[in-house]
Amino acid sequence: DGGITQSPKYLFRKEGQNVTLSCEQNLNHDAMYWYRQDPGQGLRLIYYSQIVNDFQKGDIAEGYSVSREKKESFPLTVTSAQKNPTAFYLCASSQQGFAQHFGDGTRLSIL
Amino acid sequence: GDSVTQMEGPVTLSEEAFLTINCTYTATGYPSLFWYVQYPGEGLQLLLKATKADDKGSNKGFEATYRKETTSFHLEKGSVQVSDSAVYFCALTHMAGNNRKLIWGLGTSLAVNP
């Protein structure tokens, strides 16, 4: 079945550490997105990519980085510069202009 | 800029009650409108969508009609079940041009009691 796979489901970060969240899709979608979800704040866009080797900052990109070397993959790195990284992270993909499909999310916590 | 406003939750209903979750929007041009549902601990799933004025999206007993005159896309269901307990998000996106981001409402939590 086609879909979006996020891993790991749960992730723990130590102070000063960078961690990378994986997002893979086999839907052949051009566009991919990373969102952060905090209680009561809905979804906030971190980064998005409309084509391979290109990506744009969303509303809250500080402390995060991404790459888009392959159409299927859009990993998100939460750097040590992100001072409040505890959140639920959601990856999505879409064909240009159409509805987004979501993975099951990664919950990141601080040790 | 474009925005989506949803009614605040939590909404608590008894099983078989009628559900309405209000959603209004502000946008230039002709956006497409969506309702997504998020069950506890999971990602979001597309529930229904409408791409032009007067379109009605429907799925799993839920319906929403794209009302351009009132800039609204209210979600309704005639008889809710306990399994409908989730958070519901209204969103909009433009289908043309370079701006293809979704604009999200804050979500409305629904709890259905047996």
Side-chain angles (χ1 to χ4, degrees):
Chain A
D1 285 352
I4 299 178
T5 302
Q6 289 188 242
S7 61
K9 191 171 180 65
Y10 300 96
L11 186 59
F12 298 91
R13 195 191 88 168
K14 296 179 181 179
E15 293 289 339
Q17 186 181 45
N18 294 350
V19 292
T20 297
L21 285 60
S22 172
C23 178
E24 303 279 332
Q25 56 101 356
N26 61 4
L27 299 167
N28 200 34
H29 286 169
D30 292 316
M32 297 186 74
Y33 311 82
W34 274 106
Y35 293 93
R36 171 179 172 141
Q37 187 176 29
D38 295 281
Q41 295 195 41
L43 294 168
R44 292 187 289 170
L45 183 64
I46 304 172
Y47 269 97
Y48 65 105
S49 167
Q50 296 187 353
I51 56 172
V52 175
N53 292 322
D54 186 50
F55 49 82
Q56 289 81 39
K57 292 182 179 180
D59 302 318
I60 55 164
E62 186 174 351
Y64 300 96
S65 66
V66 294
S67 62
R68 186 86 188 277
E69 298 176 0
K70 299 186 300 182
K71 188 175 186 178
E72 302 80 17
S73 179
F74 192 41
L76 173 73
T77 296
V78 184
T79 74
S80 58
Q82 172 49 245
K83 298 306 179 187
N84 184 24
T86 297
F88 190 47
Y89 290 87
L90 287 162
C91 180
S93 71
S94 73
Q95 276 301 86
Q96 297 289 10
F98 288 88
Q100 294 181 10
H101 297 255
F102 284 80
D104 286 336
T106 292
R107 191 165 299 278
L108 176 62
S109 302
I110 300 301
L111 288 177
Chain B
D2 295 355
S3 66
V4 174
T5 302
Q6 289 182 235
M7 63 185 288
E8 287 191 25
V11 173
T12 303
L13 296 172
S14 297
E15 207 164 23
E16 299 183 3
F18 184 86
L19 168 71
T20 299
I21 299 179
N22 290 339
C23 172
T24 57
Y25 68 91
T26 302
T28 56
Y30 303 95
S32 292
L33 302 173
F34 304 87
W35 276 103
Y36 282 82
V37 58
Q38 184 179 32
Y39 298 103
E42 298 183 8
L44 277 70
Q45 302 174 25
L46 178 65
L47 183 59
L48 53 84
K49 65 180 181 182
T51 57
K52 61 182 187 296
D54 299 325
D55 267 2
K56 177 185 284 188
S58 61
N59 186 26
K60 299 181 181 179
F62 291 89
E63 293 183 341
T65 301
Y66 188 164
R67 302 284 188 201
K68 190 164 177 62
E69 64 275 13
T70 55
T71 61
S72 65
F73 193 54
H74 304 321
L75 182 68
E76 297 181 336
K77 186 174 185 182
S79 175
V80 294
Q81 306 299 312
V82 172
S83 58
D84 293 326
S85 298
V87 180
Y88 293 83
F89 291 92
C90 185
L92 68 82
T93 189
H94 286 268
M95 296 291 287
N98 292 324
N99 181 7
R100 295 187 174 91
K101 295 183 291 182
L102 278 173
I103 308 299
W104 295 90
L106 293 181
T108 303
S109 176
L110 170 65
V112 180
N113 298 319

